[in-house]
Each structure stands twice: as structure tokens, then as C-alpha cells.
């Protein structure tokens, strides 16, 4: 007996999505290879593979293992974290222009780093990480607590408004400290622009547990985000606990954003553009959308970092600057093709 049309269509859709995930994985592998090979000192791909697989002892092998490999690993982690966080925030708020900054999370991390530099005597990148993560977490909790008060709980509009208010407050605090402390401003500006340059293995060691925890939390609510996209009443009719979806999803997004911002600073545009690109590739099912975002995010960040190394040699343009320059054309193209849902 022939298979039902719906069954055949569903199987074909799964095959297409799996094929596109495979292509995304290959793109990520190419991006990783470029990140390891391209820089002030170009290194042949064969030498890169020799350093990774056979433990070469040449100067090039030492550069790959001690400098570029940790930087690339951090780039993969940060790109995946920010992209998944942006995907979840757009789903929770049903706002197509939401990103990790909409709930004040990125600014919370920045404000806490400024306070740590000015008043706690923290002057190392690994020291910033813990303060940035705490600031992101506190900002996320405060925003959700404010939005949850009153009728209807933490609705998308209330979350956006509470996030805007807290973000403005944190910006004011940050600027108040920076404008009165030149030493703090000089030190903070290197972190605030967003970069994965100089990030060593110690940074990766500190953020990977949070990346795993955040990924698990957002994947748990993938079905809930799909239901929420249909509207709250429909989601409730489908048996979804809307409050639980928002709490778990918001917590996961906060953890992911905190980890990404703590490691690399507030890198812009990845959390905004990547979800739209991934949605155009694989559709709106968050069970597929989140993994696709986790693959495309590192590709965008690593490619941006590589381009930033070579446009003005021997200087480097930080990845946080290049992500916007590279990401804007993609998003504009998607808008022109009407691929971004209203």
C-alpha cells in the first residue's frame, strides 16, 4: 500500500532539513580551517592539519595550537551562544528584531564589568568573565520580574518595555562611571567593542559549562516556542504551560548571552541576523531552527574575525565591528526577498 501523501511530504521535509544541516556543518568546518590558517602569518591548510593531527613541532604548528586554536574554539562557542539566544528571544517576544540586547542582558554584563574595573580592581579578561555573567543574569531576572507583574504576566510587549527601561538605566550607570574615571574607560573600551582576539584556553574552560546548560534549556522549550508563535491562546489550547516556556526559555537565553558576552564582549548583530538566516534556510520549527542557528552563528563570527585580520594589515578590525559589516547585506537581502516573517 503506497505511503500517505502527508507521510511522504514529511519525510521529504526532514531529508531537506538534514541536508541543509550537513551543508551548515561543512561551512562551519571551512570557517574553522580559515580561522586557523589566515592571519598576519598565513599558514597552509596542510600545516594546520599537521599541527592538529600529528603534533607538529614547527613555529607554524605552535602558532596554530597555542594562539589560533583557543581563539577559534571561543569563536565557535560565542557564535553558537549568541545565535541561539537571539533565536529564543525572537520566539519568546514574537518580535523579529529582538536580540540578546532587548532584555538588557548584554548591557547588564557591560555595566557589571565597568563596576568590576572601577571598584573591584579586576583587570584581566578571565576576571571579567564572572562579573559579566553575573551582570547578565541579574539584568535578565530583574527584567522578567518587572514584566511578570500585573495582568497577563510577562507578555511580549511588557518584556520589551521592561528590557528597554532596564537597558536605559544600565547605560546611564555605565556612562556615569566611564565619564568620571578615565582609567576605567581606557581599559573597558577594549572589551566593549567585542572581539575574540587574545582569548585563550582559560576563557573556553570557563564558558563551556554555561553553553551546555543554556543549550539544554532552550532545546527543552523548542516545542513550546513553536506553539507560542501561533499565539498564547492557541499555545494554551495545545497544552503548553506558557509561563514555564517563558521562564525556562528566558533563563536559557540569559545563560547563553551571559556566556557569550562574558567571553567576547557585546558582539552585535549575530543574535539579530542569524535567526532570520537560519529561519530562511530551515523553516520556523525550533527543533531544527536552534541547531541551524548554532551552526550559522559561529560561521558568521569566525568569517567576520578572519576578514577583520586581513583588511588592514598588520592591524586587526575587531570581530564585533565586522559582524555588522558582513551581516547587514545578508539581512537586507532576506528582507528584500520577504524571507523575514513580519
Amino acid at each position: 500500500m503506497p505511503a500517505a501523501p502527508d507521510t511522504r511530504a514529511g519525510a521529504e521535509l526532514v531529508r531537506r532539513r538534514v541536508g541543509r544541516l550537513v551543508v551548515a556543518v561543512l561551512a562551519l568546518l571551512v570557517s574553522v580551517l580559515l580561522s586557523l590558517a589566515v592571519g598576519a602569518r598565513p599558514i597552509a591548510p596542510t600545516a594546520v592539519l599537521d599541527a592538529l593531527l600529528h603534533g607538529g613541532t614547527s613555529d607554524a604548528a605552535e602558532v596554530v595550537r597555542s594562539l589560533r586554536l583557543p581563539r577559534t574554539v571561543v569563536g565557535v562557542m560565542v557564535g553558537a551562544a549568541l545565535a541561539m539566544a537571539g533565536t529564543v528571544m525572537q520566539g519568546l517576544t514574537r518580535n523579529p528584531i529582538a536580540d540578546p540586547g532587548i532584555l538588557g542582558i548584554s548591557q547588564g554584563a557591560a555595566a557589571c564589568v565597568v563596576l568590576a574595573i572601577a571598584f573591584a580592581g579586576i583587570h584581566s579578561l578571565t576576571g571579567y568573565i564572572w562579573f559579566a555573567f553575573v551582570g547578565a543574569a541579574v539584568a535578565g531576572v530583574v527584567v522578567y520580574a518587572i514584566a511578570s507583574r500585573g495582568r497577563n504576566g510577562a507578555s511580549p510587549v511588557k518584556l520589551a518595555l521592561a528590557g528597554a527601561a532596564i537597558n536605559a538605566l544600565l547605560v546611564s550607570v555605565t556612562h556615569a562611571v566611564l565619564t568620571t574615571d578615565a582609567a576605567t574607560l581606557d581599559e573597558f573600551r577594549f572589551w566593549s567593542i567585542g572581539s575574540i582576539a587574545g582569548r585563550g584556553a582559560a576563557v573556553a574552560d570557563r564558558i563551556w559549562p554555561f553553553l551546555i546548560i543554556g543549550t539544554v534549556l532552550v532545546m527543552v522549550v523548542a516545542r513550546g516556542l513553536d506553539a507560542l508563535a501561533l499565539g498564547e491562546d492557541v499555545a494554551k489550547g495545545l497544552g503548553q504551560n506558557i509561563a514555564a516556556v517563558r521562564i525556562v526559555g528566558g533563563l536559557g537565553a540569559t545563560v547563553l548571552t551571559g556566556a557569550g558576552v562574558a567571553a567576547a564582549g557585546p558582539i552585535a548583530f549575530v543574535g539579530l541576523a542569524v535567526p532570520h538566516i537560519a529561519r530562511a534556510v530551515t523553516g520556523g520549527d525550533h527543533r531544527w531552527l536552534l541547531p541551524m542557528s548554532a551552526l550559522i552563528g559561529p560561521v558568521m563570527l569566525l568569517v567576520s574575525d578572519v576578514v577583520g585580520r586581513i583588511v588592514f594589515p598588520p592591524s586587526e578590525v575587531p570581530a564585533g565591528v565586522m559582524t555588522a559589516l558582513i551581516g547587514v547585506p545578508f539581512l537586507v537581502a532576506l528582507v528584500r526577498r520577504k524571507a523575514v516573517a513580519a
Side-chain angles (χ1 to χ4, degrees):
M1 184 175 181
D6 288 346
T7 303
R8 290 198 299 268
E12 178 62 25
L13 179 59
V14 170
R15 283 195 293 270
R16 287 202 304 268
R17 284 171 167 169
V18 170
R20 290 167 182 175
L21 281 175
V22 171
V23 172
V25 170
L26 294 177
L28 177 57
L29 292 176
V30 171
S31 302
V32 168
L33 182 59
L34 286 173
S35 181
L36 295 174
V38 177
R41 175 182 178 179
I43 299 174
T46 54
V48 171
L49 294 176
D50 180 64
L52 297 178
L53 302 178
H54 305 117
T57 57
S58 64
D59 291 342
E62 186 63 25
V63 168
V64 169
R65 287 197 301 268
S66 62
L67 298 178
R68 294 186 184 172
L69 182 59
R71 176 175 182 166
T72 301
V73 171
V74 171
V76 171
M77 291 181 174
V78 171
L82 295 178
M84 286 191 290
T87 301
V88 172
M89 289 179 181
Q90 290 178 10
L92 287 175
T93 62
R94 301 204 300 277
N95 183 347
I97 61 171
D99 71 348
I102 193 171
L103 301 183
I105 297 173
S106 296
Q107 194 58 45
C112 205
V113 168
V114 166
L115 295 176
I117 295 171
F119 302 111
I122 304 299
H123 302 291
S124 68
L125 181 62
T126 53
Y128 297 161
I129 286 179
W130 298 112
F131 285 90
F133 187 80
V134 169
V138 171
V141 170
V142 170
V143 167
Y144 188 83
I146 294 173
S148 298
R149 299 183 63 85
R151 298 178 59 185
N152 301 324
S155 66
V157 173
K158 290 168 68 178
L159 281 169
L161 291 175
I166 295 300
N167 193 74
L169 173 63
L170 292 171
V171 168
S172 299
V173 171
T174 301
H175 288 174
V177 174
L178 294 179
T179 54
T180 57
D181 190 334
T184 299
L185 173 60
D186 189 57
E187 186 171 342
F188 174 73
R189 64 189 179 91
F190 290 104
W191 179 85
S192 65
I193 199 168
S195 174
I196 57 174
R199 271 54 175 180
V203 174
D205 287 342
R206 283 168 171 77
I207 68 171
W208 73 260
F210 299 108
L211 178 61
I212 292 177
I213 292 170
T215 301
V216 170
L217 289 173
V218 298
M219 289 303 299
V220 165
V221 298
R223 284 185 178 273
L225 292 173
D226 291 339
L228 194 59
L230 302 174
E232 293 187 20
D233 292 337
V234 174
K236 291 177 182 177
L238 294 173
Q240 293 292 331
N241 185 331
I242 301 301
V245 170
R246 285 179 175 151
I247 292 173
V248 176
L251 179 61
T254 299
V255 171
L256 289 171
T257 303
V261 174
I267 291 180
F269 216 82
V270 173
L272 172 62
V274 169
H276 291 295
I277 298 172
R279 195 174 290 111
V281 171
T282 196
D285 187 335
H286 283 80
R287 292 172 296 174
W288 296 91
L289 180 57
L290 284 166
M292 181 62 75
S293 296
L295 293 171
I296 296 178
V299 172
M300 175 178 281
L301 183 54
L302 290 179
V303 170
S304 299
D305 185 52
V306 168
V307 173
R309 300 180 203 176
I310 61 177
V311 288
F312 296 116
S315 300
E316 291 189 11
V317 179
V321 175
M322 295 307 303
T323 50
L325 294 177
I326 292 177
V328 165
F330 282 100
L331 192 57
V332 170
L334 288 174
V335 171
R336 289 177 63 86
R337 291 172 51 193
K338 298 182 181 180
V340 177

